[in-house]
Amino acid sequence: MSYNQPPPAQPTFIGPPAGQPGGKPGWARKRVAIPAACLIFFVGVGIGSSGSGQEKTSADAKPQPAVTVTETAEAKPAKDDAKPAKDEKPAASNDDEKATVPNFVGMGLQSAQDKAQELGFYGLTSHDALGRDRMQAFDRNWKVCSQSVKAGTSTSTDTDVDFGAVKLEEACPAKDEKPPSPEGGKMPDFAGKSVKAARGVLDSGASITVNDASAEDRMVLMESNWQVCTQTPAAGTTLNGQPVEFTAVKFEESCP
């Protein structure tokens, strides 16, 4: 039995929508993606080409010549030991300067020293005119009894001037009472002299003992304020390193 069947229907093609390029439907157009590795390759090639150009430019650059500094004779510092020119003269010394020494006796020790310095005398010393070997710690408390350079003498200002002085409340002696020295290696007579002066005259290595001559058994601390009453060995004895012993009292006291 045969049936008359209609022929199969043919597909109908519809044109591309507006705004799309013709020729292929939208589903047939594919986008081509460029792999990331390819992008990295191209970027690397570009950078390499740029670097090669810089390196070439640096290599082609010519080096600058080095600057050489030549030290001239004028640039050298002068030596410290350079000799002065022949026409240079040394500065004049105080030996060429002279002054007349005034009379300092009766002046306060500080005032006498100030006056001497005004005249150009700077080699100044002083000593105890009573021979007690006291230090002139406060010059204003002392007065001048004698001077080593006679008043009215014209002399170089380099001359040393020594003042013999006593304290303001004391009377000047008729002459400086200098401590005796052990002449001929014999023991001097220290009676009435200060213990300090006696110690200063004897050998620095001598063994010396000092006792209070009174019955008070006091300690002899400031020896310049104590006077010798007795001594062992006796005056005139040859000194050969034997120990020395003194008894003493203060200067305002009498020996027993």
Side-chain angles (χ1 to χ4, degrees):
M1 182 170 170
S2 61
Y3 297 92
N4 291 324
Q5 296 181 350
Q10 295 295 325
T12 302
F13 294 94
I14 301 174
Q20 293 185 359
K24 289 185 179 181
W27 56 266
R29 293 194 302 271
K30 295 183 180 179
R31 296 179 179 177
V32 179
I34 299 175
C38 294
L39 291 176
I40 294 173
F41 172 76
F42 288 124
V43 173
V45 170
I47 294 174
S49 300
S50 176
S52 299
Q54 293 178 355
E55 291 177 358
K56 184 177 182 180
T57 302
S58 300
D60 294 340
K62 295 182 179 181
Q64 296 297 327
V67 179
T68 303
V69 179
T70 303
E71 183 179 4
T72 61
E74 290 77 10
K76 295 182 179 180
K79 295 182 178 180
D80 294 338
D81 56 352
K83 296 181 180 180
K86 294 182 179 180
D87 56 349
E88 292 182 2
K89 296 181 180 180
S93 63
N94 288 339
D95 293 339
D96 300 330
E97 299 179 7
K98 290 186 177 183
T100 301
V101 179
N103 185 10
F104 295 108
V105 175
M107 297 178 63
L109 181 57
Q110 183 63 64
S111 298
Q113 291 174 340
D114 293 343
K115 180 64 176 178
Q117 290 179 357
E118 290 177 4
L119 296 173
F121 296 99
Y122 290 94
L124 306 176
T125 56
S126 61
H127 65 275
D128 185 355
L130 294 178
R132 293 169 58 176
D133 200 19
R134 294 171 294 181
M135 297 294 295
Q136 290 75 58
F138 300 99
D139 295 336
R140 290 177 176 82
N141 295 337
W142 294 72
K143 61 185 179 183
V144 177
C145 294
S146 64
Q147 57 192 70
S148 60
V149 182
K150 186 178 179 180
T153 302
S154 178
T155 183
S156 169
T157 53
D158 279 345
T159 302
D160 294 334
V161 180
D162 181 48
F163 299 113
V166 296
K167 289 189 174 182
L168 297 178
E169 65 274 13
E170 299 172 341
C172 290
K175 63 177 182 178
D176 276 0
E177 298 181 9
K178 296 181 181 179
S181 58
E183 297 179 0
K186 296 185 180 298
M187 182 73 168
D189 185 2
F190 290 116
K193 308 300 181 182
S194 92
V195 175
K196 182 181 179 181
R199 185 186 293 275
V201 166
L202 296 174
D203 185 85
S204 59
S207 301
I208 302 173
T209 303
V210 184
N211 297 313
D212 185 3
S214 71
E216 298 181 17
D217 195 22
R218 296 167 295 183
M219 294 186 66
V220 181
L221 298 177
M222 188 169 292
E223 295 183 340
S224 61
N225 290 339
W226 292 70
Q227 61 176 321
V228 175
C229 292
T230 63
Q231 63 184 59
T232 303
T237 304
T238 301
L239 295 172
N240 56 9
Q242 66 269 46
V244 176
E245 182 177 354
F246 296 120
T247 64
V249 294
K250 292 186 177 181
F251 271 96
E252 60 270 18
E253 301 171 347
S254 300
C255 290

